[in-house]
Amino acid sequence: MLNYLLFPVGLVLLIKGGGLLVKGATSLARRYKVSDLVIGLTVVAFGTSLPELSVTFISALQGTPQIAVGNIIGSNIANVLLILGLAALIRPLQVSRGTVYKEIPFSILAALILGLLVGDRLIDGASEAVVSRSDGLVLLSIFTVFIYYTMGIARRGEGLEEGAPAAQLSTVRSLVFIGVGLAGLILGGQWVTDGAVAAARLLGMSQALIGLTVVAVGTSLPELATSVIAARQGNADIAVGNMVGSNIFNILFVLGVTAPLAPLPVAPFILVDMGVALLASAILFGFMFTGARHALDRWEGIGFLILYCAYLMFGIFRG
């Protein structure tokens, strides 16, 4: 009963927390002349990926790996199709050249690498697919390359806007806003997820389906709140950078940290969902060259939302 009561409170925390996080992160970027893209790819992406880290880690340790892996794959699908779809519907998202040619392809590469690592049944004829301890170390190694690349962007000042407004908050207040915003996102996401999972179990949904849909959307609510608020404020770099960075963090960092401690078996049908996640990112890359160049238009956002509804229907009928 408590889970259901905390559900609406969690929604309020998500909305308020997302607003504080975007305001604090943007102000910090302005003050230290760091591009919004770098802040979105790192600080905001890591913060909004904390619910996925928490759920995946706890699920793995509690012996429910289908929820752990399904959460990551389902979250990455929701990040592209649901979150960017809604953000683009609010306001077309003009994406920087670096995001189009570097960050989005990097997220596609991360998904491809994960697919190769769990392709044990197809490649080696293994009895089961698993994200092993050594796979986790490989993912963490690639993650360090991504962080090094992002720091290179910061040093070169790429993505800084000409004539951008000055910082509105002091450094201390910006950090406070970021901290309070993250706390609201994490706590709100947990309460909303707990309520949704309780309702889903009441309806008799399977563990894997709960992980791929209910938990995935629940842990993606911080990204949703952050990206939608950023889009409303006209900050496309944080809206898109948050999503792309979160997808990279989810695969390379969250699975990379979890697998060495608790190897994660992957159900055969989840490989289909991994294909959907990879396809979604590929479509995002393709949309950068249709309509307005290097932008996600409203009609493309609508297309993403239609695809996500189709994916949910497929998941429900599959069971």
Side-chain angles (χ1 to χ4, degrees):
M1 179 61 70
L2 181 61
N3 288 336
Y4 302 118
L5 295 176
L6 290 176
F7 185 88
V9 180
L11 285 176
V12 173
L13 283 176
L14 282 171
I15 295 170
K16 294 296 184 182
L20 290 174
L21 177 60
V22 170
K23 186 173 182 178
T26 303
S27 184
L28 198 66
R30 298 280 187 259
R31 181 165 296 279
Y32 290 98
K33 300 190 184 304
V34 176
S35 70
D36 292 336
L37 175 61
V38 172
I39 294 293
L41 284 170
T42 55
V43 177
V44 178
F46 177 74
T48 55
S49 289
L50 287 177
E52 282 92 341
L53 175 60
S54 174
V55 170
T56 300
F57 191 76
I58 292 171
S59 297
L61 294 181
Q62 290 180 345
T64 54
Q66 289 186 24
I67 285 183
V69 177
N71 168 45
I72 293 299
I73 304 304
S75 179
N76 280 18
I77 294 171
N79 282 349
V80 177
L81 300 182
L82 175 62
I83 295 173
L84 279 186
L86 287 173
L89 199 60
I90 293 171
R91 178 177 295 185
L93 302 172
Q94 187 67 44
V95 181
S96 68
R97 182 180 176 85
T99 298
V100 173
Y101 291 105
K102 296 177 183 177
E103 284 84 44
I104 294 177
F106 200 104
S107 70
I108 294 174
L109 177 63
L112 280 172
I113 290 171
L114 178 61
L116 289 174
L117 292 178
V118 300
D120 304 336
R121 294 169 63 93
L122 296 176
I123 298 173
D124 296 329
S127 58
E128 65 174 356
V130 61
V131 184
S132 65
R133 289 185 170 89
S134 59
D135 291 340
L137 295 177
V138 169
L139 294 174
L140 283 177
S141 298
I142 300 171
F143 179 71
T144 60
V145 175
F146 170 70
I147 292 299
Y148 179 79
Y149 157 73
T150 307
M151 293 304 100
I153 297 178
R155 286 194 300 271
R156 294 189 298 271
E158 292 180 16
L160 286 172
E161 300 177 18
E162 294 294 334
Q168 298 175 335
L169 305 171
S170 67
T171 299
V172 173
R173 288 192 67 194
S174 296
L175 292 173
V176 169
F177 272 47
I178 291 173
V180 173
L182 286 175
L185 287 172
I186 295 166
L187 189 59
Q190 186 62 55
W191 286 352
V192 169
T193 301
D194 288 346
V197 170
R201 283 178 174 161
L202 210 67
L203 296 173
M205 295 173 65
S206 69
Q207 183 187 116
L209 184 58
I210 290 174
L212 285 164
T213 56
V214 179
V215 177
V217 173
T219 56
S220 289
L221 286 175
E223 286 94 336
L224 174 61
T226 302
S227 290
V228 167
I229 291 170
R232 288 186 60 189
Q233 295 177 357
N235 199 325
D237 277 337
I238 281 188
V240 178
N242 165 43
M243 184 286 301
V244 174
S246 180
N247 277 11
I248 294 171
F249 267 83
N250 284 347
I251 292 177
L252 300 182
F253 181 74
V254 176
L255 289 181
V257 167
T258 306
L261 300 175
L264 303 168
V266 180
F269 66 85
I270 291 183
L271 296 177
V272 175
D273 300 273
M274 292 177 63
V276 173
L278 180 60
L279 179 62
S281 293
I283 293 173
L284 172 62
F285 181 72
F287 276 170
M288 295 296 100
F289 303 96
T290 59
R293 189 171 177 81
H294 297 173
L296 192 64
D297 296 321
R298 282 192 174 92
W299 71 267
E300 293 167 330
I302 293 172
F304 272 166
L305 293 175
I306 292 173
L307 287 174
Y308 190 68
C309 289
Y311 168 71
L312 287 181
M313 293 301 295
F314 164 74
I316 291 172
F317 283 114
R318 181 180 59 180

